[in-house]
Amino acid sequence: MQVSGQKIIVLATGGTIAGTATTPGDNIGYTAAQVGVNQLLAAVPGLYAAAGGSLQAEQVAQLDSKDMDFDVLAALARRCATALADPGVRAIVITHGTDTLEETAWFLHTVLCAQKPVVLTCAMRPATALAPDGPQNLLDAIAVATAEGARGVVVVAAGVVHGAQRVQKVHPYRVDAFSSGDAGPLGWVEEGRVRLVQDWPAVLVDQAPFAIEKIASRTNWPWVELVVSHAGASGALVDALVRDGVRGIVAAATGNGTLHHALEAALLRAQSAGVRVVRSTRCPQGQVLPRPGDAIPDSGGLSPVKARISMVLDLLG
């Protein structure tokens, strides 16, 4: 139950959950980020009651999450940090597009001291759909935000609670589009109640204040790119990136971190030139198992896109 007198802050960033289409039956030809947060919340019966009658809504951004960038991430993180430090705030709920939700979740997990719950939610269908999934996801997010002992950055979608480290979007269309791979979900929301099967995420207490300070007024973010190893891959793209001044490269490798020999040679050249290089795997489950003497370090279990987020933050110092 919600602690008396405390409010839940809803920070909106746009996405499909706020999208509209010209016809109600159109679930793919919509325009994302059209509905304002107050209108979005008002359309969900019982939402304010589930939150204990105290919701504060703010429009931090209004974009399709495919267009998310580090400036918006930093603004969102700063607002979250302020809210988390407010004793009058019980929890934060963030509405977000599905495409880059996993990256935002990992960014916030890394830079926030989230002793209170920070709950990201989303939708695969626009607000104008015949059967939109956004309203139920919002109700489920409130259930997680008010759950006893809840903490950390989590994602709630289709009744499933995911941790920020493992969650991935694994389907381009279906409502249940997210998975935590072989790690499994943290739990489920069932009729407004949270059933956990794993503990809430660990909170990074020590580094958070320094991280927020580092990103607070950042205008130039370290340039980090992703490259993919595949049949017939070459090193030309890597060589071009190095010539243009890239700071870091994350390689989405095949299998257990294996790389096409031409791509690997280029990555080693980049590493010798002072570019940060890390390997992850294209595989949606599991993680790279390092071997003694690996010339290119692995991502420590992070997916390629999350490894990129971490590298950007690492390069900030």
Side-chain angles (χ1 to χ4, degrees):
M1 297 295 292
Q2 184 178 349
V3 177
S4 177
Q6 289 189 315
K7 59 191 173 186
I8 296 175
I9 306 293
V10 180
L11 304 177
T13 66
T16 297
I17 194 170
T20 59
T22 55
T23 56
D26 190 352
N27 290 330
I28 59 174
Y30 60 87
T31 302
Q34 300 301 298
V35 180
V37 62
N38 289 315
Q39 182 182 350
L40 191 68
L41 301 184
V44 184
L47 186 68
Y48 282 84
S54 183
L55 281 179
Q56 177 180 314
E58 301 176 24
Q59 196 79 50
V60 175
Q62 186 70 302
L63 49 76
D64 188 323
S65 78
K66 67 179 177 58
D67 298 320
M68 183 61 71
D69 59 35
F70 280 102
D71 288 340
V72 176
L73 287 175
L76 181 61
R78 292 195 304 269
R79 184 62 191 94
C80 286
T82 299
L84 289 170
D86 184 346
V89 172
R90 169 70 179 87
I92 300 168
V93 171
I94 299 170
T95 61
H96 199 286
T98 59
D99 285 346
T100 58
L101 182 147
E102 63 202 77
E103 295 169 68
T104 297
W106 181 245
F107 181 91
L108 294 177
H109 171 82
T110 304
V111 303
L112 294 176
C113 179
Q115 303 278 19
K116 303 172 185 178
V118 177
V119 187
L120 288 89
T121 195
C122 55
M124 290 297 292
R125 296 173 181 169
T128 52
L130 290 173
D133 53 322
Q136 186 62 58
N137 285 343
L138 275 166
L139 283 168
D140 289 348
I142 294 296
V144 173
T146 56
E148 183 71 28
R151 68 172 189 273
V153 179
V154 299
V155 171
V156 179
V160 186
V161 185
H162 301 276
Q165 181 174 355
R166 297 296 184 183
V167 66
Q168 293 186 59
K169 186 176 180 181
V170 296
H171 199 280
Y173 176 73
R174 72 186 183 206
V175 171
D176 187 9
F178 289 89
S179 172
S180 290
D182 54 7
L186 300 181
W188 296 270
V189 182
E190 300 165 335
E191 296 300 311
R193 293 183 178 274
V194 178
R195 177 166 64 91
L196 284 184
V197 292
Q198 299 189 55
D199 198 6
W200 298 105
V203 178
L204 306 180
V205 177
D206 295 334
Q207 70 188 51
F210 176 73
I212 289 294
E213 182 182 341
K214 290 291 287 187
I215 68 174
S217 58
R218 196 76 190 189
T219 56
N220 57 326
W221 296 85
W223 179 20
V224 177
E225 289 288 349
L226 292 175
V227 298
V228 180
S229 187
H230 53 82
S234 78
L237 177 58
V238 171
D239 292 335
L241 289 170
V242 173
R243 285 195 301 270
D244 288 346
V246 74
R247 295 278 308 282
I249 298 174
V250 175
T254 46
N256 188 38
T258 55
L259 296 161
H260 187 283
H261 67 88
L263 178 61
E264 183 174 27
L267 290 169
L268 290 172
R269 289 194 297 272
Q271 193 169 249
S272 296
V275 175
R276 183 83 63 86
V277 180
V278 162
R279 293 173 302 134
S280 184
T281 178
R282 298 178 353 185
C283 299
Q285 297 191 30
Q287 64 186 62
V288 174
L289 300 178
R291 297 167 296 182
D294 280 340
I296 298 175
D298 67 274
S299 66
L302 294 179
S303 68
V305 294
K306 291 178 184 174
R308 177 179 173 269
I309 294 289
S310 286
M311 186 181 288
V312 168
L313 293 172
D314 287 346
L315 288 170
L316 286 176

